[in-house]
Amino acid sequence: MTVYIGLLRGINVGGKNKIKMVELKMLLETKGFTHVQTYLQSGNVLFISEEAEGPLRRGIEQDMDSRFGVSPTVVLRTAEEFEQIVAACPYAVDALLEGESIQISVLTQEPPEQTAEILSNGKSSIDEFQIHGREIYFLFRQSVLDSKLASNIQKLGNTATTRNWNTMNKLAVLAKAMQA
């Protein structure tokens, strides 16, 4: 049995793709997943399943389309992978200054080689990013809303979803507790 963290792209953002987390939980429970729990209203879900990542992800996406009429990309990581993602953060969380933030994009697959170039296009020298496998770590030194780098994240397409540091850390803690 594997503890998975599912990150749904574009759920309940700006009044679009509205899905109640209680309904998402019920859907996953009907698929036979156990210990299903959601975190926040932005499409974060933890559960236990025996299925492999690829078929599991595609099955959830198809079921969400059938049940809710919404087709979000579902990005899955195991509890162990999530723990590694948090531990591998290249930015010193304790050294963040006021207004600075860390965000992590989690992708369904390793990004293409031109990803660094796409993200760097128009990027100011204020913000930074580092690509590590299927994750991209961002350090924003100003408001994300005003960041040229942040606006380039959308150019990654629908294979990525982004969460702030606090959400990623909390999901890792919840996943670790499920393993106990």
Side-chain angles (χ1 to χ4, degrees), residues 99-117:
E100 293 183 335
S101 66
I102 295 171
Q103 304 228 356
I104 303 172
S105 287
V106 185
L107 291 79
T108 57
Q109 58 198 16
E110 288 204 23
E113 286 185 34
Q114 67 268 28
T115 299
E117 183 179 322

mmCIF file with all atom_site columns, all heavy atoms in Angstrom, residues 99-117:
data_model
loop_
_atom_site.group_PDB
_atom_site.id
_atom_site.type_symbol
_atom_site.label_atom_id
_atom_site.label_alt_id
_atom_site.label_comp_id
_atom_site.label_asym_id
_atom_site.label_entity_id
_atom_site.label_seq_id
_atom_site.pdbx_PDB_ins_code
_atom_site.Cartn_x
_atom_site.Cartn_y
_atom_site.Cartn_z
_atom_site.occupancy
_atom_site.B_iso_or_equiv
_atom_site.pdbx_formal_charge
_atom_site.auth_seq_id
_atom_site.auth_comp_id
_atom_site.auth_asym_id
_atom_site.auth_atom_id
_atom_site.pdbx_PDB_model_num
ATOM 1   N N   . GLY A 1 99  ? 8.216  39.458 2.521   1.00 0.00 ? 99  GLY A N   1
ATOM 2   C CA  . GLY A 1 99  ? 7.815  39.607 1.129   1.00 0.00 ? 99  GLY A CA  1
ATOM 3   C C   . GLY A 1 99  ? 8.355  38.523 0.214   1.00 0.00 ? 99  GLY A C   1
ATOM 4   O O   . GLY A 1 99  ? 7.898  38.384 -0.914  1.00 0.00 ? 99  GLY A O   1
ATOM 5   N N   . GLU A 1 100 ? 9.340  37.746 0.682   1.00 0.00 ? 100 GLU A N   1
ATOM 6   C CA  . GLU A 1 100 ? 9.894  36.673 -0.131  1.00 0.00 ? 100 GLU A CA  1
ATOM 7   C C   . GLU A 1 100 ? 9.087  35.395 0.088   1.00 0.00 ? 100 GLU A C   1
ATOM 8   O O   . GLU A 1 100 ? 8.524  35.182 1.155   1.00 0.00 ? 100 GLU A O   1
ATOM 9   C CB  . GLU A 1 100 ? 11.363 36.418 0.225   1.00 0.00 ? 100 GLU A CB  1
ATOM 10  C CG  . GLU A 1 100 ? 12.272 37.569 -0.138  1.00 0.00 ? 100 GLU A CG  1
ATOM 11  C CD  . GLU A 1 100 ? 13.731 37.275 0.152   1.00 0.00 ? 100 GLU A CD  1
ATOM 12  O OE1 . GLU A 1 100 ? 14.035 36.445 1.028   1.00 0.00 ? 100 GLU A OE1 1
ATOM 13  O OE2 . GLU A 1 100 ? 14.579 37.908 -0.508  1.00 0.00 ? 100 GLU A OE2 1
ATOM 14  N N   . SER A 1 101 ? 9.052  34.563 -0.947  1.00 0.00 ? 101 SER A N   1
ATOM 15  C CA  . SER A 1 101 ? 8.332  33.301 -0.823  1.00 0.00 ? 101 SER A CA  1
ATOM 16  C C   . SER A 1 101 ? 8.965  32.233 -1.704  1.00 0.00 ? 101 SER A C   1
ATOM 17  O O   . SER A 1 101 ? 9.649  32.529 -2.677  1.00 0.00 ? 101 SER A O   1
ATOM 18  C CB  . SER A 1 101 ? 6.859  33.477 -1.199  1.00 0.00 ? 101 SER A CB  1
ATOM 19  O OG  . SER A 1 101 ? 6.734  33.793 -2.575  1.00 0.00 ? 101 SER A OG  1
ATOM 20  N N   . ILE A 1 102 ? 8.687  31.001 -1.311  1.00 0.00 ? 102 ILE A N   1
ATOM 21  C CA  . ILE A 1 102 ? 9.129  29.845 -2.087  1.00 0.00 ? 102 ILE A CA  1
ATOM 22  C C   . ILE A 1 102 ? 7.883  29.149 -2.603  1.00 0.00 ? 102 ILE A C   1
ATOM 23  O O   . ILE A 1 102 ? 6.918  28.955 -1.868  1.00 0.00 ? 102 ILE A O   1
ATOM 24  C CB  . ILE A 1 102 ? 9.954  28.874 -1.214  1.00 0.00 ? 102 ILE A CB  1
ATOM 25  C CG1 . ILE A 1 102 ? 11.257 29.540 -0.766  1.00 0.00 ? 102 ILE A CG1 1
ATOM 26  C CG2 . ILE A 1 102 ? 10.230 27.573 -1.970  1.00 0.00 ? 102 ILE A CG2 1
ATOM 27  C CD1 . ILE A 1 102 ? 12.039 28.757 0.262   1.00 0.00 ? 102 ILE A CD1 1
ATOM 28  N N   . GLN A 1 103 ? 7.937  28.791 -3.874  1.00 0.00 ? 103 GLN A N   1
ATOM 29  C CA  . GLN A 1 103 ? 6.856  28.020 -4.480  1.00 0.00 ? 103 GLN A CA  1
ATOM 30  C C   . GLN A 1 103 ? 7.505  26.867 -5.227  1.00 0.00 ? 103 GLN A C   1
ATOM 31  O O   . GLN A 1 103 ? 8.651  26.969 -5.681  1.00 0.00 ? 103 GLN A O   1
ATOM 32  C CB  . GLN A 1 103 ? 6.040  28.882 -5.434  1.00 0.00 ? 103 GLN A CB  1
ATOM 33  C CG  . GLN A 1 103 ? 5.492  30.109 -4.766  1.00 0.00 ? 103 GLN A CG  1
ATOM 34  C CD  . GLN A 1 103 ? 4.034  30.348 -5.040  1.00 0.00 ? 103 GLN A CD  1
ATOM 35  O OE1 . GLN A 1 103 ? 3.402  29.645 -5.795  1.00 0.00 ? 103 GLN A OE1 1
ATOM 36  N NE2 . GLN A 1 103 ? 3.490  31.360 -4.397  1.00 0.00 ? 103 GLN A NE2 1
ATOM 37  N N   . ILE A 1 104 ? 6.760  25.784 -5.343  1.00 0.00 ? 104 ILE A N   1
ATOM 38  C CA  . ILE A 1 104 ? 7.287  24.606 -6.027  1.00 0.00 ? 104 ILE A CA  1
ATOM 39  C C   . ILE A 1 104 ? 6.269  24.145 -7.065  1.00 0.00 ? 104 ILE A C   1
ATOM 40  O O   . ILE A 1 104 ? 5.102  23.921 -6.739  1.00 0.00 ? 104 ILE A O   1
ATOM 41  C CB  . ILE A 1 104 ? 7.582  23.464 -5.041  1.00 0.00 ? 104 ILE A CB  1
ATOM 42  C CG1 . ILE A 1 104 ? 8.554  23.935 -3.953  1.00 0.00 ? 104 ILE A CG1 1
ATOM 43  C CG2 . ILE A 1 104 ? 8.136  22.243 -5.784  1.00 0.00 ? 104 ILE A CG2 1
ATOM 44  C CD1 . ILE A 1 104 ? 8.764  22.956 -2.818  1.00 0.00 ? 104 ILE A CD1 1
ATOM 45  N N   . SER A 1 105 ? 6.723  24.026 -8.306  1.00 0.00 ? 105 SER A N   1
ATOM 46  C CA  . SER A 1 105 ? 5.902  23.434 -9.357  1.00 0.00 ? 105 SER A CA  1
ATOM 47  C C   . SER A 1 105 ? 6.237  21.953 -9.409  1.00 0.00 ? 105 SER A C   1
ATOM 48  O O   . SER A 1 105 ? 7.410  21.563 -9.447  1.00 0.00 ? 105 SER A O   1
ATOM 49  C CB  . SER A 1 105 ? 6.185  24.075 -10.719 1.00 0.00 ? 105 SER A CB  1
ATOM 50  O OG  . SER A 1 105 ? 5.646  25.365 -10.781 1.00 0.00 ? 105 SER A OG  1
ATOM 51  N N   . VAL A 1 106 ? 5.194  21.144 -9.400  1.00 0.00 ? 106 VAL A N   1
ATOM 52  C CA  . VAL A 1 106 ? 5.339  19.694 -9.451  1.00 0.00 ? 106 VAL A CA  1
ATOM 53  C C   . VAL A 1 106 ? 4.749  19.259 -10.796 1.00 0.00 ? 106 VAL A C   1
ATOM 54  O O   . VAL A 1 106 ? 3.616  19.609 -11.124 1.00 0.00 ? 106 VAL A O   1
ATOM 55  C CB  . VAL A 1 106 ? 4.598  19.036 -8.257  1.00 0.00 ? 106 VAL A CB  1
ATOM 56  C CG1 . VAL A 1 106 ? 4.841  17.552 -8.226  1.00 0.00 ? 106 VAL A CG1 1
ATOM 57  C CG2 . VAL A 1 106 ? 5.041  19.676 -6.947  1.00 0.00 ? 106 VAL A CG2 1
ATOM 58  N N   . LEU A 1 107 ? 5.539  18.531 -11.566 1.00 0.00 ? 107 LEU A N   1
ATOM 59  C CA  . LEU A 1 107 ? 5.155  18.176 -12.933 1.00 0.00 ? 107 LEU A CA  1
ATOM 60  C C   . LEU A 1 107 ? 4.841  16.689 -13.063 1.00 0.00 ? 107 LEU A C   1
ATOM 61  O O   . LEU A 1 107 ? 5.364  15.863 -12.308 1.00 0.00 ? 107 LEU A O   1
ATOM 62  C CB  . LEU A 1 107 ? 6.282  18.532 -13.900 1.00 0.00 ? 107 LEU A CB  1
ATOM 63  C CG  . LEU A 1 107 ? 6.558  20.018 -14.111 1.00 0.00 ? 107 LEU A CG  1
ATOM 64  C CD1 . LEU A 1 107 ? 7.363  20.621 -12.982 1.00 0.00 ? 107 LEU A CD1 1
ATOM 65  C CD2 . LEU A 1 107 ? 7.274  20.235 -15.424 1.00 0.00 ? 107 LEU A CD2 1
ATOM 66  N N   . THR A 1 108 ? 4.028  16.351 -14.060 1.00 0.00 ? 108 THR A N   1
ATOM 67  C CA  . THR A 1 108 ? 3.696  14.952 -14.313 1.00 0.00 ? 108 THR A CA  1
ATOM 68  C C   . THR A 1 108 ? 4.883  14.197 -14.901 1.00 0.00 ? 108 THR A C   1
ATOM 69  O O   . THR A 1 108 ? 4.956  12.978 -14.804 1.00 0.00 ? 108 THR A O   1
ATOM 70  C CB  . THR A 1 108 ? 2.507  14.835 -15.285 1.00 0.00 ? 108 THR A CB  1
ATOM 71  O OG1 . THR A 1 108 ? 2.822  15.513 -16.502 1.00 0.00 ? 108 THR A OG1 1
ATOM 72  C CG2 . THR A 1 108 ? 1.242  15.394 -14.677 1.00 0.00 ? 108 THR A CG2 1
ATOM 73  N N   . GLN A 1 109 ? 5.796  14.916 -15.527 1.00 0.00 ? 109 GLN A N   1
ATOM 74  C CA  . GLN A 1 109 ? 6.981  14.306 -16.135 1.00 0.00 ? 109 GLN A CA  1
ATOM 75  C C   . GLN A 1 109 ? 8.125  15.301 -16.082 1.00 0.00 ? 109 GLN A C   1
ATOM 76  O O   . GLN A 1 109 ? 7.914  16.474 -15.805 1.00 0.00 ? 109 GLN A O   1
ATOM 77  C CB  . GLN A 1 109 ? 6.688  13.925 -17.578 1.00 0.00 ? 109 GLN A CB  1
ATOM 78  C CG  . GLN A 1 109 ? 6.251  15.118 -18.413 1.00 0.00 ? 109 GLN A CG  1
ATOM 79  C CD  . GLN A 1 109 ? 5.542  14.708 -19.702 1.00 0.00 ? 109 GLN A CD  1
ATOM 80  O OE1 . GLN A 1 109 ? 5.115  13.585 -19.840 1.00 0.00 ? 109 GLN A OE1 1
ATOM 81  N NE2 . GLN A 1 109 ? 5.441  15.628 -20.629 1.00 0.00 ? 109 GLN A NE2 1
ATOM 82  N N   . GLU A 1 110 ? 9.331  14.829 -16.351 1.00 0.00 ? 110 GLU A N   1
ATOM 83  C CA  . GLU A 1 110 ? 10.466 15.768 -16.359 1.00 0.00 ? 110 GLU A CA  1
ATOM 84  C C   . GLU A 1 110 ? 10.230 16.805 -17.449 1.00 0.00 ? 110 GLU A C   1
ATOM 85  O O   . GLU A 1 110 ? 9.764  16.482 -18.540 1.00 0.00 ? 110 GLU A O   1
ATOM 86  C CB  . GLU A 1 110 ? 11.780 15.019 -16.592 1.00 0.00 ? 110 GLU A CB  1
ATOM 87  C CG  . GLU A 1 110 ? 12.174 14.215 -15.378 1.00 0.00 ? 110 GLU A CG  1
ATOM 88  C CD  . GLU A 1 110 ? 13.665 13.925 -15.304 1.00 0.00 ? 110 GLU A CD  1
ATOM 89  O OE1 . GLU A 1 110 ? 14.469 14.660 -15.910 1.00 0.00 ? 110 GLU A OE1 1
ATOM 90  O OE2 . GLU A 1 110 ? 14.003 12.967 -14.613 1.00 0.00 ? 110 GLU A OE2 1
ATOM 91  N N   . PRO A 1 111 ? 10.548 18.055 -17.147 1.00 0.00 ? 111 PRO A N   1
ATOM 92  C CA  . PRO A 1 111 ? 10.292 19.109 -18.133 1.00 0.00 ? 111 PRO A CA  1
ATOM 93  C C   . PRO A 1 111 ? 11.240 18.995 -19.321 1.00 0.00 ? 111 PRO A C   1
ATOM 94  O O   . PRO A 1 111 ? 12.351 18.484 -19.198 1.00 0.00 ? 111 PRO A O   1
ATOM 95  C CB  . PRO A 1 111 ? 10.544 20.393 -17.345 1.00 0.00 ? 111 PRO A CB  1
ATOM 96  C CG  . PRO A 1 111 ? 11.471 19.999 -16.251 1.00 0.00 ? 111 PRO A CG  1
ATOM 97  C CD  . PRO A 1 111 ? 11.137 18.572 -15.920 1.00 0.00 ? 111 PRO A CD  1
ATOM 98  N N   . PRO A 1 112 ? 10.801 19.484 -20.474 1.00 0.00 ? 112 PRO A N   1
ATOM 99  C CA  . PRO A 1 112 ? 11.683 19.469 -21.647 1.00 0.00 ? 112 PRO A CA  1
ATOM 100 C C   . PRO A 1 112 ? 12.905 20.361 -21.431 1.00 0.00 ? 112 PRO A C   1
ATOM 101 O O   . PRO A 1 112 ? 12.897 21.240 -20.570 1.00 0.00 ? 112 PRO A O   1
ATOM 102 C CB  . PRO A 1 112 ? 10.794 20.011 -22.776 1.00 0.00 ? 112 PRO A CB  1
ATOM 103 C CG  . PRO A 1 112 ? 9.570  20.543 -22.140 1.00 0.00 ? 112 PRO A CG  1
ATOM 104 C CD  . PRO A 1 112 ? 9.494  20.032 -20.741 1.00 0.00 ? 112 PRO A CD  1
ATOM 105 N N   . GLU A 1 113 ? 13.934 20.142 -22.228 1.00 0.00 ? 113 GLU A N   1
ATOM 106 C CA  . GLU A 1 113 ? 15.195 20.868 -22.072 1.00 0.00 ? 113 GLU A CA  1
ATOM 107 C C   . GLU A 1 113 ? 15.031 22.382 -22.153 1.00 0.00 ? 113 GLU A C   1
ATOM 108 O O   . GLU A 1 113 ? 15.747 23.121 -21.500 1.00 0.00 ? 113 GLU A O   1
ATOM 109 C CB  . GLU A 1 113 ? 16.206 20.405 -23.135 1.00 0.00 ? 113 GLU A CB  1
ATOM 110 C CG  . GLU A 1 113 ? 16.769 19.037 -22.852 1.00 0.00 ? 113 GLU A CG  1
ATOM 111 C CD  . GLU A 1 113 ? 17.845 18.646 -23.838 1.00 0.00 ? 113 GLU A CD  1
ATOM 112 O OE1 . GLU A 1 113 ? 18.601 19.543 -24.304 1.00 0.00 ? 113 GLU A OE1 1
ATOM 113 O OE2 . GLU A 1 113 ? 17.945 17.455 -24.143 1.00 0.00 ? 113 GLU A OE2 1
ATOM 114 N N   . GLN A 1 114 ? 14.088 22.861 -22.947 1.00 0.00 ? 114 GLN A N   1
ATOM 115 C CA  . GLN A 1 114 ? 13.925 24.298 -23.137 1.00 0.00 ? 114 GLN A CA  1
ATOM 116 C C   . GLN A 1 114 ? 13.186 24.975 -21.986 1.00 0.00 ? 114 GLN A C   1
ATOM 117 O O   . GLN A 1 114 ? 12.966 26.188 -22.013 1.00 0.00 ? 114 GLN A O   1
ATOM 118 C CB  . GLN A 1 114 ? 13.235 24.608 -24.477 1.00 0.00 ? 114 GLN A CB  1
ATOM 119 C CG  . GLN A 1 114 ? 11.786 24.160 -24.554 1.00 0.00 ? 114 GLN A CG  1
ATOM 120 C CD  . GLN A 1 114 ? 11.606 22.764 -25.113 1.00 0.00 ? 114 GLN A CD  1
ATOM 121 O OE1 . GLN A 1 114 ? 12.476 21.915 -24.992 1.00 0.00 ? 114 GLN A OE1 1
ATOM 122 N NE2 . GLN A 1 114 ? 10.464 22.521 -25.727 1.00 0.00 ? 114 GLN A NE2 1
ATOM 123 N N   . THR A 1 115 ? 12.831 24.243 -20.941 1.00 0.00 ? 115 THR A N   1
ATOM 124 C CA  . THR A 1 115 ? 12.070 24.810 -19.824 1.00 0.00 ? 115 THR A CA  1
ATOM 125 C C   . THR A 1 115 ? 12.804 25.972 -19.161 1.00 0.00 ? 115 THR A C   1
ATOM 126 O O   . THR A 1 115 ? 12.201 27.008 -18.878 1.00 0.00 ? 115 THR A O   1
ATOM 127 C CB  . THR A 1 115 ? 11.738 23.723 -18.792 1.00 0.00 ? 115 THR A CB  1
ATOM 128 O OG1 . THR A 1 115 ? 10.935 22.729 -19.431 1.00 0.00 ? 115 THR A OG1 1
ATOM 129 C CG2 . THR A 1 115 ? 10.987 24.294 -17.608 1.00 0.00 ? 115 THR A CG2 1
ATOM 130 N N   . ALA A 1 116 ? 14.087 25.824 -18.910 1.00 0.00 ? 116 ALA A N   1
ATOM 131 C CA  . ALA A 1 116 ? 14.845 26.913 -18.277 1.00 0.00 ? 116 ALA A CA  1
ATOM 132 C C   . ALA A 1 116 ? 14.801 28.165 -19.138 1.00 0.00 ? 116 ALA A C   1
ATOM 133 O O   . ALA A 1 116 ? 14.637 29.277 -18.638 1.00 0.00 ? 116 ALA A O   1
ATOM 134 C CB  . ALA A 1 116 ? 16.286 26.480 -18.020 1.00 0.00 ? 116 ALA A CB  1
ATOM 135 N N   . GLU A 1 117 ? 14.908 27.986 -20.440 1.00 0.00 ? 117 GLU A N   1
ATOM 136 C CA  . GLU A 1 117 ? 14.851 29.129 -21.354 1.00 0.00 ? 117 GLU A CA  1
ATOM 137 C C   . GLU A 1 117 ? 13.458 29.772 -21.339 1.00 0.00 ? 117 GLU A C   1
ATOM 138 O O   . GLU A 1 117 ? 13.326 30.991 -21.309 1.00 0.00 ? 117 GLU A O   1
ATOM 139 C CB  . GLU A 1 117 ? 15.193 28.672 -22.767 1.00 0.00 ? 117 GLU A CB  1
ATOM 140 C CG  . GLU A 1 117 ? 15.243 29.787 -23.784 1.00 0.00 ? 117 GLU A CG  1
ATOM 141 C CD  . GLU A 1 117 ? 15.605 29.259 -25.171 1.00 0.00 ? 117 GLU A CD  1
ATOM 142 O OE1 . GLU A 1 117 ? 16.440 28.343 -25.266 1.00 0.00 ? 117 GLU A OE1 1
ATOM 143 O OE2 . GLU A 1 117 ? 15.038 29.787 -26.148 1.00 0.00 ? 117 GLU A OE2 1
#
